[in-house]
Amino acid sequence: MSKDYRDTEYCTGYGRVLDDKKKFMDSFRAQHPHAKDIHAYVSKNDGSYKTDFIKIYNGKCAYCGASIKIIPKSMFEIDHYIPQSATCFASKADAGNISNIVLSCRKCNHNKSKFLVGVEIQPLLHPDGSRISSAFFRDEMYYIRVANGQPSEVTEFYKQLDLGRQSCRMDYLLLNMKGLYDKTIHRPDLHNLLGQAINLLSEKRNGSW
């Protein structure tokens, strides 16, 4: 099983998110040199910036790992990791800076809402960094769980986002099954059986949203 709870055995990992965000901003600044609230541009479903932002995260929710291979682009939203209402921001525009916005599936974003991660714990749980992958793990049944020895704030974050929800488990299973499906094209019997199972699980999964 992958070390990062958001990755499956077959999907591409998150890669170099911070580097890719910098490249994104270099291109963005060439077109909008004075723009402050990047969120206002990236969050538009009909714009190319959202597509580019999704690519930074390899098409996966930064919190639970839900993939664009399973849910459509419109079901992805741009979350303010630290909410706009936090006193550390002089304005809502300040909260929309590139380091504070992350790709989130609609379920995680709405669950998180205005939840404010404590200052000391923010570096641990920021999904752009590597430390969040040590805060949570997948158990033997593929549910996301809190790793042993984590601060109580990590458990609060976990509960707020409801990372233990059934859909997180089904997404993981579906992505693994889709990956295996692509690799069994030369075994028609197994390939067809996996296709049927994927369709059934997809129907169940979509009914839980």
Side-chain angles (χ1 to χ4, degrees):
M1 193 178 297
S2 172
K3 184 178 180 180
D4 191 322
Y5 72 96
R6 299 167 295 181
D7 294 341
T8 68
E9 299 300 318
Y10 300 97
C11 71
T12 305
Y14 282 85
R16 305 173 69 177
V17 172
L18 297 178
D19 289 341
D20 289 342
K21 274 189 170 183
K22 184 179 183 303
K23 293 177 182 177
F24 173 88
M25 284 305 298
D26 288 342
S27 175
F28 180 85
R29 284 293 177 216
Q31 301 173 63
H32 306 282
H34 304 297
K36 192 172 185 179
D37 188 355
I38 313 305
H39 180 275
Y41 292 83
V42 174
S43 58
K44 296 178 180 178
N45 272 319
D46 57 351
S48 61
Y49 291 125
K50 183 173 182 180
T51 299
D52 293 340
F53 197 77
I54 287 174
K55 290 178 181 177
I56 291 174
Y57 290 86
N58 286 328
K60 297 193 299 179
C61 173
Y63 297 117
C64 73
S67 172
I68 200 167
K69 294 180 179 179
I70 295 174
I71 61 176
K73 175 184 175 181
S74 60
M75 292 294 287
F76 281 100
E77 300 177 344
I78 312 302
D79 175 54
H80 294 89
Y81 175 60
I82 302 173
Q84 291 176 305
S85 57
T87 57
C88 61
F89 299 118
S91 68
K92 289 185 176 180
D94 289 337
N97 69 78
I98 192 68
S99 64
N100 191 48
I101 59 175
V102 301
L103 185 67
S104 174
C105 69
R106 182 174 296 174
K107 182 72 76 174
C108 280
N109 192 27
H110 287 208
N111 285 346
K112 182 172 171 285
S113 187
K114 296 181 180 180
F115 184 81
L116 178 61
V117 179
V119 174
E120 293 184 357
I121 213 74
Q122 286 172 9
L124 170 63
L125 292 177
H126 198 305
D128 288 357
S130 60
R131 294 177 63 192
I132 191 172
S133 63
S134 65
F136 307 110
F137 70 99
R138 293 273 176 180
D139 67 12
E140 65 278 2
M141 295 300 293
Y142 310 124
Y143 286 102
I144 300 174
R145 303 298 186 195
V146 178
N148 291 332
Q150 297 301 315
S152 60
E153 292 92 335
V154 173
T155 300
E156 292 173 10
F157 183 82
Y158 173 86
K159 290 179 178 178
Q160 180 71 29
L161 271 70
D162 190 22
L163 291 176
R165 62 184 183 269
Q166 181 70 247
S167 62
C168 291
R169 176 179 182 250
M170 288 192 285
D171 286 349
Y172 186 86
L173 288 169
L174 270 171
L175 285 171
N176 268 321
M177 290 168 68
K178 284 177 177 288
L180 185 58
Y181 177 81
D182 292 339
K183 289 181 177 295
T184 58
I185 192 169
H186 299 299
R187 293 187 56 186
D189 53 339
L190 180 57
H191 191 71
N192 292 334
L193 190 62
L194 276 169
Q196 295 173 24
I198 288 170
N199 288 335
L200 288 172
L201 187 57
S202 294
E203 291 178 6
K204 181 177 181 181
R205 185 249 183 239
N206 291 333
S208 70
W209 273 62

